[in-house]
Amino acid sequence: MARTPIIAGNWKMNKTPDEAVAFVRELSPKLAERSQVDRVVAPTFLALPAVAAALGGSPVKVAAQNAHWQAYGAYTSQISVEMLAPYVDYIIIGHSECRAYLNESDENVNRKAQAILAADINPIIAVGESLAQNEAGETLPFVRAQVTAALKGIAPQDMPRVVIAYEPIWAIGTGKSASGALAEHIIKTAVRDTLAGLFGRDIAEAVRVQYGGSVKPANMEEYMTQPNIDGALVGGASLDVEDFAALIAIAARSKGP
Ligand code: 13P
């Protein structure tokens, strides 16, 4: 099945609202002709309304970097899916930095996934093992367990809207990337085959799976030529207009018709 590639820039805690708007104004025309690739930027919460307004009518879509599963209430510092809904098409959940610094648990990732799908938004669910787990040979069972827990109770018909991002923690922001072959192996055996076990092969083949971790223009093709890798979740290189546009161009070329 042909899956539309999806490249998302996770800006993390970078760019003020003014900087974010200036960035997307420069970026958007460079991506206009890449309609064979879904193009997404994920600014901070604070910049979302301004970025969404600046991109109005542009094919470049907006993601939030997190959300709370409750609609409103006494949850100091949190922002609900409903509050984000006017501005975003995607919401990233389960990022390893949220798991590490904000105590994001598998259970909460699952609650968030359910709330996001119920609001007709698309979750990008990040999974991935630590260096210690990788070195102990625990990668495959750990990633399988993360995928399974995140998707508990999700209706099969909602699954094609789900994006999974496999991001080995040891490759994030370190310049140490997984080889294309290794990323393909883990995505195939720990993500796609797990999806097939949970939802059946047809649905598993419809779900898009990204690789993330030190993706750059120089290594992008290595990932985009793998059959089970449908795009990338990009940190550092997404903060540079030329680099991000280059990543999208490589995806379009490698995955295009
Ligand atoms: P880098 O591309 O900076 O390694 O970050 C990856 C990431 O965490 C994207 O979510």
Side-chain angles (χ1 to χ4, degrees), residues 65-86:
Q65 297 175 20
N66 200 355
H68 198 279
W69 62 91
Q70 296 284 2
Y72 59 89
Y75 301 96
T76 299
S77 86
Q78 298 297 298
I79 299 184
S80 71
V81 171
E82 279 74 2
M83 292 168 183
L84 296 167

Side-chain angles (χ1 to χ4, degrees), residues 23-148:
F23 184 92
V24 296
R25 289 220 166 103
E26 196 185 337
L27 177 73
S28 186
K30 293 186 196 287
L31 304 188
E33 284 168 24
R34 306 290 182 196
S35 58
Q36 60 281 60
V37 178
D38 284 349
R39 298 137 282 178
V40 184
V41 294
T44 68
F45 285 130
L46 197 60
L48 287 173
V51 167
L55 286 174
S58 156
V60 179
K61 302 298 181 199
V62 181
Q65 297 175 20
N66 200 355
H68 198 279
W69 62 91
Q70 296 284 2
Y72 59 89
Y75 301 96
T76 299
S77 86
Q78 298 297 298
I79 299 184
S80 71
V81 171
E82 279 74 2
M83 292 168 183
L84 296 167
Y87 310 112
V88 305
D89 286 288
Y90 296 88
I91 300 178
I92 300 168
I93 52 175
H95 194 280
S96 64
E97 286 150 17
C98 299
R99 294 181 192 259
Y101 307 135
L102 303 174
N103 287 325
E104 178 92 295
S105 64
D106 281 336
E107 199 179 23
N108 287 352
V109 172
N110 177 246
R111 290 186 172 117
K112 292 175 182 190
Q114 308 229 26
I116 291 165
L117 288 165
D120 267 334
I121 300 170
N122 309 303
I124 299 177
I125 303 175
V127 298
E129 82 288 0
S130 67
L131 181 61
Q133 289 166 322
N134 184 279
E135 287 176 344
E138 294 166 0
T139 298
L140 297 179
F142 182 75
V143 172
R144 280 187 193 117
Q146 280 187 320
V147 169
T148 303

Side-chain angles (χ1 to χ4, degrees), residues 10 12 95 97 167 171-173 213-215 233-236:
N10 173 12
K12 309 191 179 183
H95 194 280
E97 286 150 17
E167 300 202 302
I172 294 177
S214 297
V215 173
L233 184 56
V234 186

